[in-house]
Amino acid sequence: IRKGFYSQTMKNFVISEILYWVIALISLYKTVTLWGIEPQRAYLFLGFCILSVFMALFRRHYRKKFTKRKQDN
């Protein structure tokens, strides 16, 4: 693997991880604001929040795994 390619891939992993956290925060905000007004939409945004947190943690796990693999080689 080329060195430039690896660093760009890691940047993409970090950026996507941050984006998932941002989506989770926005979804959590929408959940709180809609809770008393429209419970159905609030549950939908709560689901998005949970999914985004899971995806961010999943990305972080694989980013660390790839970094460790790169350091071992």
Side-chain angles (χ1 to χ4, degrees):
I1 296 178
R2 297 185 323 259
K3 184 176 178 75
F5 176 78
Y6 180 76
S7 65
Q8 184 62 37
T9 304
M10 287 299 108
K11 283 182 190 176
N12 290 342
F13 273 119
V14 171
I15 290 170
S16 65
E17 185 181 327
I18 291 169
L19 285 175
Y20 278 121
W21 285 115
V22 169
I23 291 170
L25 287 175
I26 292 170
S27 297
L28 185 62
Y29 171 76
K30 289 296 282 184
T31 300
V32 170
T33 57
L34 291 174
W35 193 262
I37 304 167
E38 295 181 73
Q40 294 289 39
R41 285 187 66 199
Y43 282 119
L44 178 69
F45 280 106
L46 183 62
F48 284 145
C49 179
I50 293 169
L51 181 65
S52 295
V53 168
F54 172 75
M55 289 301 295
L57 294 175
F58 182 76
R59 283 282 191 175
R60 181 176 182 207
H61 169 74
Y62 272 96
R63 178 176 53 88
K64 287 187 175 198
K65 183 177 177 180
F66 289 146
T67 303
K68 185 175 185 305
R69 183 184 303 165
K70 177 68 175 175
Q71 290 173 351
D72 289 344
N73 286 335

